[in-house]
Amino acid sequence: MIRLPTVPGVPALPRLPTVPGLPALPRLPALPGVPGLAAVSGARGAGTTPRRTRRVAIVGTGFSGIGAAVALRRAGHDRIALFERGDDVGGVWARNTYPGAACDVPSYVYSFSFAQRRDWSRPCSPQSEVHAYLRRVAHDHGVLDDVHLDTEIVDATWDEQTCEWTLRAADGREFVADVLVPACGQLTRPAVPDVPGAERFGGPVFHSAEWDHDVDLAGRRVAVVGTGASAVQFVPPVAEAAAHVDVYQRSAPYLLPRSNTPYPRVVREVVERVPGVQTVRREGGRLLLEGLIAGFTVAPPARAALEAASRAFMRLQVPDPELRARTRPDYPLGCKRMLFSSAYLPALGRDDVELVTDEIDHVTERGIVTADGRQRPADVLVWGTGFRTRFVAPMRIRGRGGRDLADVWGDAPRAHHGITVASFPNMFLLYGPNTNLGVGSVVEMIEAQAGYLVDALARLDAAGADAMDVEPTVMAVSDARVQERLHGSIWTRCDSWYRTEGGRVSTNWPGFMREYAARVRRVRTSEYAFWSRPGESPDAGVAAVGTGGTAAGTGAAGGPDAPASGSVTRRAAGPGTPGTREAR
């Protein structure tokens, strides 16, 4: 592999244009006592050189992947490779470009503590602004040089003799790393229901996460299947553009108001120029979210009051009694995802929009037929049916003894702190099982997990070992305690993506954001087994593998001839001696 020359000041990924007017994000100093990456430098050795140079492979470039890469860089790790299946960094924020796409948590909280932006255009920023923020963070912290674009990792296998992970991409290329960090997210794979006849539909068909912007909706009849978080955002603008919209609903969501108007100029100037205002705003937002979490976990009366407020708001938004009855949820608030919109219900009340609650029977070439036998014509079909909950999709991960993670988990994904899984050494999940929030900022959780990763590698160095694996009993007890707290919780009182088919809540954390951050602030070495490669003493250091140079990542296309960044060894996919590695 030939390394192309770089031009000083020019990012390595030319597909990532700079955003006009978007200033560089400052790197904030360490904040003693505050969880998150901003504290990692003081607490976990950021800025120092690790005893061993470990190759770290991160799968995914959303908040989790970028956050982990920055944390590792701040801790002195420089052999990092990130793998992105798309043509741009940003994860779901790069791919979900449907009309009206936006964050539903205030951006001054839904952002990294070490890269706070003071000039957000509005409280809950649109997709393009969040995506630009992630690209800017990756650029400013030198992460872009470590990214493989257009590289989908489909297999990762642990080698017990070498204490290495071998990653295989969909195009056949292989990469070797010492540490594997799946940062794939929980909701990345679109879920399309198996509706009879859907393949025969004569017009454009696409999922909201794969929006076809070449399809002009003006003057056309649009069928929207689903009323989840994405649909609540894109139905109002679609209704404005289309001639008619039919919205097919299985269950009605709870809604709370959100106008999300742009900040007045004076507000933006105050936030940018007056010291302390940003800190107060961010901490105030975090406290508000923690208060909402309390209502879902330890203060049922608060949740009941919030449900009453939501129902009152929805009644005010829907004057028509018949439509009001069809938009009334039949489950307790919080059991499914709570949504925020002041535009969705009024859109359903338009004369050119119909909310259909009858079950879909089948699809024809010209429209959708419901169980009552009525066919409603459609020119365009949009699936707003959410995502399949998959923590490492589409990877097949095999650990010690060839154990397949999918088989180990079965219908019960679980991990110690949602991060480590027994029999899968040197693997650290980000945004893994039971680390989602019913309400709150998952970025808080991700930063805490990235800090745990950094501390784990420091402990590995201190032990003079090559591998670490969480003890099975530790993981079992950890999981049992989380499930005990979730038993009887609000998330067990209806079917939702929070639960598996067997009824287990596999996604959500049962407590507060700060509580979780405190639990993962330090790695307890007593919870892990440490060992070195067979035949090596604990102080032998890392075996020389691919010493002629390494191939990690990256170029704009991320293809076989992309330049290397010196992070993860690439295993030759072509002819060669079995078991050898070519360093190009």
Side-chain angles (χ1 to χ4, degrees), residues 413-449:
R414 58 203 180 277
H416 181 45
H417 297 318
I419 301 173
T420 54
V421 182
S423 296
F424 294 83
N426 291 6
M427 183 182 80
F428 301 89
L429 295 164
L430 296 186
Y431 196 22
N434 294 114
T435 62
N436 184 56
L437 298 165
V439 61
S441 172
V442 296
V443 180
E444 295 277 323
M445 309 291 279
I446 289 167
E447 285 202 42
Q449 293 157 20

Side-chain angles (χ1 to χ4, degrees), residues 23-31 37-38 41 47 69-71 73-75 112-118 136-145:
L25 294 163
R27 304 187 186 186
L28 301 181
L31 303 177
L37 293 183
S41 61
V70 173
R73 278 182 163 270
R74 289 163 64 93
F112 293 119
S113 64
F114 61 86
Q116 296 183 38
R117 178 178 168 182
R118 291 168 170 77
R136 175 61 72 183
V137 172
H139 174 268
D140 289 351
H141 290 268
V143 173
L144 295 185
D145 291 337

Side-chain angles (χ1 to χ4, degrees), residues 492-508:
T492 64
R493 296 170 62 182
C494 69
D495 292 331
S496 72
W497 71 271
Y498 297 144
R499 304 174 70 191
T500 66
E501 292 183 1
R504 174 189 174 95
V505 179
S506 62
T507 56
N508 286 3

Side-chain angles (χ1 to χ4, degrees), residues 339-392:
L339 306 178
F340 298 84
S341 176
S342 297
Y344 175 69
L345 291 176
L348 296 184
R350 292 171 56 114
D351 292 338
D352 54 1
V353 175
E354 180 183 1
L355 178 66
V356 182
T357 55
D358 293 311
E359 184 179 354
I360 295 176
D361 185 77
H362 65 278
V363 177
T364 69
E365 292 182 2
R366 299 182 178 181
I368 294 179
V369 179
T370 48
D372 60 359
R374 178 179 173 183
Q375 174 171 296
R376 292 173 175 82
D379 303 308
V380 180
L381 173 56
V382 181
W383 301 112
T385 45
F387 301 85
R388 293 173 291 167
T389 307
R390 297 288 187 275
F391 295 100
V392 295

Side-chain angles (χ1 to χ4, degrees), residues 110-128:
Y110 189 81
S111 53
F112 293 119
S113 64
F114 61 86
Q116 296 183 38
R117 178 178 168 182
R118 291 168 170 77
D119 63 342
W120 296 106
S121 65
R122 60 194 69 211
C124 298
S125 301
Q127 172 269 334
S128 59

Side-chain angles (χ1 to χ4, degrees), residues 295-312:
F296 285 8
T297 56
V298 297
R303 188 206 61 78
L306 192 62
E307 179 176 319
S310 174
R311 290 187 181 275

